[in-house]
Amino acid sequence: MSDGSYGPISAGIIRSITDKSYERRKAAALDVEKLVRDLFNNNQLSQLDRCLAVLAELINSGNSNQRKGGLIGMAASSIALGNKNAPPYTAKLVEPIVPCFLDADLQIRYYACESLYNIAKICKTAVLDHFGDIFDVLWRVTADSDQNVRGGAELLNRLITEIVLSKEDFDVAILMALIRDRIYTQTSSNRRFILEWLNTINSTPFFSVCNYISEISDGLFKMLADQAPAVRDLCETVLGNFLSAIKFKPESLTHEDKIQMVNVLVVHTHENEPFLARKLSLIWLEEFVKLYKAELLEMLSTFLVGILPSIVEHELRGDAVNRLLMALVGENKLEQANLDRTIEVLLKYIKYDVVETRVTVLNWIRHLHSSMPGQLFIHMHQIFPVLLNTLSDTSDEVLLLDLFLISNICQSESAPDQVDVSTFGLEEEALKQVSDISPFLIKFALSLLEMFRTEPSLLRERGVLIIRQLCLLLEPAQIYRVICVLLERESKHNFTQEMVSTLHGVLLTATELFILRDELRSLSNESSRSLFECIFRVWSNRPIALLGLCLLSQHYQQAADVALLLSQVDITVDVLLEIDKLVNLIESPVLAYVRMDLLSSVHRSPLCTVLSALLMLLPQSEAFVTLHKRLQAVPALVSIDNSTYAPKVPPCRIDFPPLMIHFKVALARRQTEIRSRHRDLLSGVVSQMRSLKS
């Protein structure tokens, strides 16, 4: 720039204002201030424009001293114009300075902060016409590497904030658009800058920014993972202010905003998110459910994705959100499409690692079954197999709840006829025996037996618990009838024996089967008699269990007949263990009436035959001693036959001859199978020895 092109600024002032000495530049700035004031007062506006243009050229110069001079001169010009006259010149004052905030020279960046600060102080709200540019450069220098520059930027930012707050008609949309574009910044200082602006705007009554929360919420929740505690604390405050504002004015969010917010919040409930983000997102979800209630039920499946994995951590309040949603579903019916999505999510989480989550899933299915059984049964082809698989769950709480749910389904009167019993492969006689039993219960029993068959450990470890719980929740007679009908067609003899052993143990010991035991003693109607016959046929696969059934039902003569046939049974360790258990059962309170019947002349003979037969089979063990003492306690004379307490002789309402034939056939088959197994075992050993020799 030649000396002639400086006008109206003299060459001397230019030399001084671009001097490397700060003091000379400062003194020259006073000369510029006087010059600008005189030009304006004398109405030499074209010269004034030229003066500002010269300063702008200095700012754009490649020489750092000239840029410094231009910056201090521009600030002096704004001071000369004053608050009243400066606003029309704001663009000429501000625009040349903005690029200096990105200058490589940190001193230039600092002087840019200082210059713009002075200009903004004079022009006030007029600088807001350039708010976007000013906000952008402030956001950048907030993260400046130099402490002095950051300090200058902080002062300038404070001033711009005050100016914004002084202008009630300031367009907040501009600010929120700028924040939205920068909300995913990773720099702590930039994050703090954004949060401070949000905190300030949120605290000002005449500015409403709630309707923008859906656009920036994801970025805000991400800030909760910042390394700087101050940023996390400020972010938590900002989110708290936003939530308070929404609670104060719920209608500020559109339906679309609410949907978007729920989606964002659920993302931040994920277990990989920071604990603070998870906690706050669930607090928000809880408040949203309280505020918007049924309006958000269309997002039920999305809510469940967020709360199910978090349900175990009570401090996260996932359980509180869950209770609110359950209450809403109880009061409002779900659309079928919504229910479809919900079932899909529930079935996804039913195998989740956390027990509490699996329990919550089952409670949800139970709740849906209770609230809308007809709609739920559309999905039963998906739900029922999953519930069956859940029977192998390692948690007793899950197992019991699963059985409770299955029992509800089996008893449901609202269930459409979705199960075709003809597909079960049962013969006509079997179908007749289970004609009054729920098709779902038959289907369940089939699946349960298949599970026990394929998972022997499940039968051994949980079989008793499952049978007892089913008998508590459902009619025990129906449970035993359907299982026995299905076992009659069972081809695997070993499995049938295991099942009979489990069922018999439950029948003779469980308090849940008290009524069934009485029913099998009285046999007062056709249904109980057919049940007894069904059980008898299946129990024939386990002679000691059959003996116990006859004792339970007070058919002592038949018990004696069975006992005398025990000589045909291979007395293995398993058989001895069964006899040992039966002796203990005879000594238990459940069969106290059997011991009392030893005092009756009618019952004594067959009962003594039974007990003596067992005694002959037992080795001289503890059970042997117990049984021997019991027989010794039988008095030689009848004690109670003439007493009013004499036991009644139950009328024989059962056609036993065919049943005994069935038992003998089963006994012969049992022996044949045992010998066959022994031959197979021996053949295997011989083959192995031959292969070793060769």
Side-chain angles (χ1 to χ4, degrees):
M1 185 183 294
S2 62
D3 288 352
S5 62
Y6 294 147
I9 306 176
S10 68
I13 293 176
I14 291 296
R15 282 193 297 272
S16 297
I17 207 169
T18 58
D19 195 89
K20 64 180 180 180
S21 168
Y22 173 75
E23 294 301 325
R24 293 195 65 184
R25 291 198 304 272
K26 187 175 180 181
L30 296 174
D31 294 333
V32 172
E33 181 182 340
K34 181 177 182 304
L35 173 63
V36 170
R37 187 179 293 112
D38 290 343
L39 291 172
F40 185 82
N41 290 337
N42 294 327
N43 204 28
Q44 293 177 289
L45 301 183
S46 60
Q47 289 292 84
L48 175 57
D49 289 341
R50 176 60 187 153
C51 179
L52 295 177
V54 168
L55 293 172
E57 289 178 23
L58 290 175
I59 291 173
N60 291 324
S61 168
N63 183 286
S64 63
N65 288 328
Q66 288 185 347
R67 295 200 298 278
K68 294 173 186 176
L71 288 168
I72 196 170
M74 200 67 83
S77 299
S78 68
I79 294 170
L81 290 168
N83 300 107
K84 183 178 179 181
N85 304 318
Y89 293 92
T90 302
K92 294 178 180 179
L93 293 168
V94 171
E95 289 175 1
I97 298 175
V98 169
C100 295
F101 284 88
L102 305 178
D103 199 286
D105 188 335
L106 64 88
Q107 286 189 323
I108 299 297
R109 298 197 299 273
Y110 176 77
Y111 286 131
C113 291
E114 187 177 55
S115 180
L116 188 55
Y117 179 89
N118 288 320
I119 293 169
K121 198 169 184 180
I122 296 297
C123 297
K124 296 191 181 299
T125 57
V127 299
L128 297 182
D129 292 340
H130 307 275
F131 181 75
D133 291 334
I134 295 173
F135 186 91
D136 181 66
V137 295
L138 280 173
W139 180 76
R140 293 178 187 278
V141 294
T142 296
D144 199 279
S145 58
D146 184 72
Q147 176 62 43
N148 290 328
V149 175
R150 293 199 301 273
E154 185 178 345
L155 290 173
L156 175 59
N157 182 55
R158 196 176 301 160
L159 175 61
I160 297 298
T161 303
E162 291 174 1
I163 294 171
V164 167
L165 296 180
S166 69
K167 186 176 173 61
E168 293 189 15
D169 60 347
F170 174 73
D171 189 357
V172 178
I174 297 173
L175 171 63
M176 298 310 295
L178 292 165
I179 290 176
R180 182 190 60 217
D181 293 342
R182 294 161 177 79
I183 197 67
Y184 290 108
T185 178
Q186 298 295 307
T187 308
S188 294
S189 53
N190 287 147
R191 285 174 165 175
R192 187 169 60 249
F193 173 79
I194 290 172
L195 291 169
E196 286 171 351
W197 268 99
L198 287 172
N199 195 38
T200 300
I201 293 297
N202 247 331
S203 304
T204 307
F206 48 82
F207 290 141
S208 178
V209 291
C210 284
N211 50 323
Y212 297 99
I213 182 61
S214 62
E215 300 175 6
I216 63 171
S217 57
D218 185 51
L220 288 177
F221 275 93
K222 286 183 181 297
M223 290 184 188
L224 293 170
D226 197 276
Q227 296 298 314
V231 173
R232 296 197 300 271
D233 292 344
L234 183 55
C235 185
E236 185 175 0
T237 300
V238 168
L239 285 168
N241 290 340
F242 267 116
L243 185 57
S244 297
I246 292 170
K247 289 165 65 176
F248 180 72
K249 195 176 180 183
E251 67 278 7
S252 60
L253 295 187
T254 65
H255 182 68
E256 291 72 21
D257 288 338
K258 297 165 194 171
I259 299 302
Q260 185 175 341
M261 277 301 303
V262 171
N263 283 322
V264 168
L265 293 169
V266 166
V267 167
H268 291 284
T269 61
H270 194 273
E271 56 189 355
N272 292 333
E273 292 288 310
F275 180 82
L276 182 58
R278 296 178 69 198
K279 179 181 177 181
L280 292 183
S281 59
L282 283 162
I283 288 174
W284 274 66
L285 287 173
E286 181 181 3
E287 293 301 331
F288 268 47
V289 176
K290 289 179 180 178
L291 287 173
Y292 302 114
K293 301 186 186 307
E295 184 182 352
L296 292 180
L297 271 184
E298 65 180 270
M299 298 291 290
L300 177 59
S301 59
T302 307
F303 272 97
L304 291 175
V305 170
I307 64 177
L308 287 175
S310 308
I311 207 77
V312 66
E313 299 175 78
H314 297 296
E315 63 270 32
L316 293 180
R317 297 194 61 75
D319 53 341
V321 185
N322 189 63
R323 287 194 298 272
L324 289 172
L325 289 171
M326 277 195 166
L328 278 179
V329 171
E331 298 165 2
N332 304 271
K333 298 297 180 184
L334 299 180
E335 296 291 335
Q336 190 62 49
N338 190 5
L339 181 61
D340 295 348
R341 295 191 299 271
T342 301
I343 293 298
E344 183 180 349
V345 170
L346 290 173
L347 296 184
K348 175 184 175 183
Y349 280 96
I350 202 165
K351 289 296 183 183
Y352 198 71
D353 292 342
V354 179
V355 171
E356 286 78 1
T357 297
R358 302 199 297 276
V359 168
T360 304
V361 169
L362 291 171
N363 275 323
W364 262 108
I365 297 175
R366 185 179 67 166
H367 187 61
L368 292 172
H369 176 258
S370 173
S371 304
M372 50 194 77
Q375 286 176 268
L376 187 71
F377 267 90
I378 295 174
H379 296 276
M380 200 51 67
H381 66 286
Q382 297 171 277
I383 297 172
F384 209 69
V386 174
L387 296 180
L388 291 171
N389 288 334
T390 307
L391 290 174
S392 59
D393 197 284
T394 55
S395 165
D396 283 353
E397 186 179 2
V398 172
L399 173 62
L400 295 177
L401 187 56
D402 187 43
L403 288 169
F404 184 80
L405 180 52
I406 290 172
S407 68
N408 283 350
I409 293 170
C410 290
Q411 296 179 98
S412 178
E413 297 179 359
S414 304
D417 188 15
Q418 295 187 11
V419 180
D420 185 2
V421 293
S422 64
T423 62
F424 294 158
L426 299 178
E427 296 178 358
E428 185 177 348
E429 180 60 30
L431 287 173
K432 183 179 177 182
Q433 291 188 64
V434 295
S435 59
D436 59 342
I437 295 177
S438 163
F440 268 105
L441 179 53
I442 302 172
K443 181 179 180 179
F444 166 63
L446 274 167
S447 302
L448 180 63
L449 289 176
E450 180 60 27
M451 288 184 69
F452 284 155
R453 190 182 298 108
T454 55
E455 297 181 55
S457 60
L458 179 64
L459 175 58
R460 289 193 299 270
E461 297 169 11
R462 316 296 288 280
V464 171
L465 177 61
I466 290 173
I467 298 299
R468 287 189 63 172
Q469 190 67 16
L470 285 173
C471 290
L472 177 65
L473 299 170
L474 297 169
E475 180 60 43
Q478 289 193 349
I479 298 295
Y480 270 72
R481 181 183 294 277
V482 70
I483 292 179
C484 287
V485 167
L486 296 176
L487 284 175
E488 279 194 79
R489 64 172 195 162
E490 178 61 48
S491 59
K492 292 186 176 181
H493 185 69
N494 284 346
F495 173 67
T496 304
Q497 286 186 317
E498 288 296 319
M499 279 303 305
V500 169
S501 181
T502 301
L503 291 167
H504 183 68
V506 173
L507 177 63
L508 265 66
T509 59
T511 54
E512 295 87 351
L513 277 79
F514 173 79
I515 295 176
L516 180 58
R517 287 195 291 271
D518 274 357
E519 190 175 335
L520 291 174
R521 285 178 63 191
S522 61
L523 300 175
S524 57
N525 52 53
E526 183 58 36
S527 175
S528 61
R529 290 192 287 273
S530 67
L531 175 60
F532 177 86
E533 291 175 359
C534 184
I535 294 175
F536 190 101
R537 286 192 295 272
V538 177
W539 263 230
S540 295
N541 292 283
R542 204 82 172 177
I544 305 303
L546 182 62
L547 188 58
L549 176 66
C550 292
L551 292 176
L552 172 71
S553 58
Q554 290 184 293
H555 290 101
Y556 300 132
Q557 185 55 57
Q558 287 71 31
D561 295 340
V562 171
L564 293 175
L565 290 171
L566 292 178
S567 60
Q568 301 177 25
V569 176
D570 286 347
I571 306 301
T572 62
V573 173
D574 287 341
V575 173
L576 291 176
L577 288 174
E578 282 188 84
I579 297 175
D580 190 280
K581 290 178 183 177
L582 181 58
V583 171
N584 287 328
L585 284 170
I586 292 172
E587 294 297 317
S588 71
V590 173
L591 296 182
Y593 59 88
V594 174
R595 300 194 299 275
M596 292 298 293
D597 284 348
L598 284 167
L599 303 178
S600 165
S601 60
V602 177
H603 296 316
R604 178 186 298 169
S605 177
L607 264 178
C608 284
T609 300
V610 171
L611 299 183
S612 298
L614 293 176
L615 193 65
M616 293 303 105
L617 295 174
L618 280 170
Q620 296 193 20
S621 60
E622 184 177 341
F624 177 91
V625 174
T626 301
L627 193 56
H628 188 246
K629 287 181 178 179
R630 177 60 62 191
L631 280 169
Q632 287 180 328
V634 177
L637 299 176
V638 174
S639 301
I640 61 173
D641 272 8
N642 297 323
S643 168
T644 56
Y645 299 103
K648 303 294 187 295
V649 179
C652 188
R653 301 188 177 97
I654 303 298
D655 185 12
F656 272 106
L659 293 178
M660 293 304 294
I661 292 173
H662 180 88
F663 169 60
K664 291 175 182 178
V665 171
L667 195 61
R669 185 174 65 247
R670 170 191 170 96
Q671 297 306 108
T672 302
E673 289 182 1
I674 291 173
R675 287 172 176 78
S676 176
R677 286 200 301 273
H678 287 170
R679 280 196 302 272
D680 292 342
L681 180 62
L682 184 59
S683 298
V685 172
V686 171
S687 299
Q688 188 176 11
M689 291 176 65
R690 285 176 179 172
S691 63
L692 288 173
K693 288 181 179 180
S694 61

